[in-house]
Amino acid sequence: METKYLTEKDGDQAAAILRAGGLVGIPTETVYGLGANGLDAQAVAHIFEAKGRPQDNPLILHIPEASWLERYCQNIPAAAWALAEAFWPGPMTMILPRKDLVPDAVTAGLDTVGMRCPAHPVCREIIRLSDVPVAAPSGNTSGRPSPTTARHMLEDMDGRIDAIVDGGPCSVGVESTIIDLTCTPPRLLRPGGITLEQLRSVLGEVAVDPAVTRLLGAGEKPKAPGMKYRHYAPKAPVTVVAGEPARSAAYIAAHAGERDGVICFDEYMSLFTGRAAARPVMDLGPAGDKEEQARHIFDALRSFDHTDVPAIWAQCPDSKGIGLAITNRLNKAAGFHIIEV
Ligand code: AMP
Ligand code: MG
């Protein structure tokens, strides 16, 4: 099929395609999503086909306002309304008990469903015009880094989806925070644009799922099915070097092969690009600006797939604030191959 390229003025066309059961690439503030009518099981099945996504990995339903929670969820705890009040519209997904009208195709047969109200104005307009909840995972081929521009999404999805709406680069750059409200205490399943500290300021105690910070052992099952898959991974193997920035930069400079790719903070670019270095170096952003790092992380990982680097080395921030989401994505891209210096 030919993928139609739409702009932010074409929200009505995007909505019409969604209502007719088609697939649309949609800009959100986190990453680009691959959207379909979340009440149409067949349309949702096409998402899994286009991405090559494992069938047991559920999707998030995107809604235009918190009041829609009651249409698709039951036994909604007070905590959900408090979180919605604090962080919606925005980069936070809540796991809640679902109602029967949500197709199994969306939830992968679970009795819970992930719900998010996104903040991107173009995304909100498309959902509002389509008047259905939009089921949307990230718009990458399964296993690849998530797309944060329309061009990145087309790299993976051109010819596989009906249309893409270009809404500019994503302002957050990492996927939504997923918080499970069906257990006590609530549990962080995936760190993202809303930080653990922000969640705790509303909820008090919040547990962190082990899959966020380490590789699970054989037989261990993460609560977010998506967390068990190798993820965000470029083709070359990644090594994360964690620790104080000057030390991790020095370590990489001493150990990286001549042709190895490097992801580093602004301040250390010259350490790797100098002399006659042939290697590609990607800038993660200033060491002190994690928001900027979040916007760069997927672009950095993705860019190496246009090269033939044998390996990739990456600096990473500490895990405070949105640093937890950045380190999680880097560590997962590295299969938790992490060196502490
Ligand atoms: P993506 O949209 O590609 O970021 O993927 C959505 C993420 O949400 C995956 O990691 C899923 O496993 C997770 N997810 C969606 N629905 C649920 C649910 N009902 N329970 C737990 N995790 C979920
Ligand atoms: Mg994804």
Side-chain angles (χ1 to χ4, degrees):
M1 78 175 60
E2 193 184 331
T3 299
K4 244 190 218 167
Y5 180 86
L6 303 176
T7 70
E8 47 193 63
K9 292 189 208 73
D10 303 321
D12 50 344
Q13 280 192 60
I17 295 170
L18 289 172
R19 292 187 63 85
L23 297 183
V24 182
I26 297 174
T28 84
E29 74 277 24
T30 58
V31 302
Y32 273 72
L34 175 39
N37 176 354
L39 299 179
D40 178 340
Q42 206 170 10
V44 169
H46 290 146
I47 293 179
F48 286 82
E49 283 165 26
K51 279 182 65 95
R53 184 173 176 103
Q55 295 288 338
D56 66 349
N57 192 1
L59 310 178
I60 292 167
L61 277 189
H62 295 76
I63 54 176
E65 52 184 278
S67 67
W68 281 38
L69 279 180
E70 276 166 330
R71 301 186 186 186
Y72 311 113
C73 305
Q74 50 189 333
N75 305 326
I76 302 171
W81 300 113
L83 285 178
E85 178 71 28
F87 304 125
W88 276 0
M92 177 193 65
T93 297
M94 301 193 252
I95 305 298
L96 292 164
R98 67 146 158 166
K99 283 189 173 164
D100 287 342
L101 87 163
V102 179
D104 278 342
V106 170
T107 67
L110 296 175
D111 53 12
T112 56
V113 60
M115 302 295 301
R116 177 161 110 82
C117 174
H120 195 297
V122 177
C123 177
R124 292 171 67 75
E125 174 78 350
I126 294 169
I127 301 173
R128 199 181 57 73
L129 290 170
S130 68
D131 202 30
V132 294
V134 173
S138 52
N140 49 286
T141 298
S142 207
R144 293 203 72 210
S146 302
T148 51
T149 64
R151 184 177 55 79
H152 287 170
M153 182 155 173
L154 282 173
E155 278 175 10
D156 288 14
M157 291 298 153
D158 201 9
R160 299 177 149 262
I161 57 177
D162 297 284
I164 185 164
V165 180
D166 192 340
C170 300
S171 60
V172 176
V174 290
E175 301 90 337
S176 61
T177 302
I178 303 181
I179 177 86
D180 187 350
L181 296 179
T182 66
C183 48
T184 312
R187 177 179 288 243
L188 177 73
L189 302 187
R190 178 175 73 184
I194 297 297
T195 65
L196 181 58
E197 294 87 339
Q198 284 175 299
L199 292 175
R200 286 183 170 146
S201 74
V202 173
L203 298 173
E205 192 184 356
V206 175
V208 177
D209 198 76
V212 170
T213 49
R214 65 173 172 82
L215 204 56
L216 295 186
E220 271 187 300
K221 237 175 118 184
K223 277 203 78 175
M227 298 299 270
K228 73 170 168 279
Y229 295 105
R230 182 157 188 258
H231 232 120
Y232 314 126
K235 288 167 192 148
V238 180
T239 301
V240 171
V241 183
E244 195 273 316
R247 275 214 308 277
S248 58
Y251 185 93
I252 295 173
H255 290 83
E258 264 172 26
R259 291 175 47 240
D260 289 355
V262 173
I263 299 174
C264 68
F265 298 125
D266 258 2
E267 291 86 339
Y268 305 101
M269 288 291 284
S270 60
L271 209 57
F272 304 105
T273 51
R275 287 166 281 150
R279 65 163 67 102
V281 182
M282 288 302 292
D283 184 357
L284 193 54
D289 186 347
K290 289 175 186 164
E291 269 70 32
E292 191 64 13
Q293 294 165 28
R295 282 189 281 272
H296 287 182
I297 178 68
F298 284 131
D299 180 31
L301 287 169
R302 194 168 261 273
S303 70
F304 292 109
D305 285 348
H306 303 291
T307 72
D308 58 355
V309 293
I312 299 165
W313 299 76
Q315 288 194 279
C316 77
D318 67 56
S319 57
K320 289 196 207 87
I322 200 171
L324 185 63
I326 301 165
T327 54
N328 169 265
R329 304 309 189 271
L330 273 169
N331 290 345
K332 287 189 66 107
F336 288 88
H337 183 223
I338 308 162
I339 295 171
E340 301 271 352
V341 295

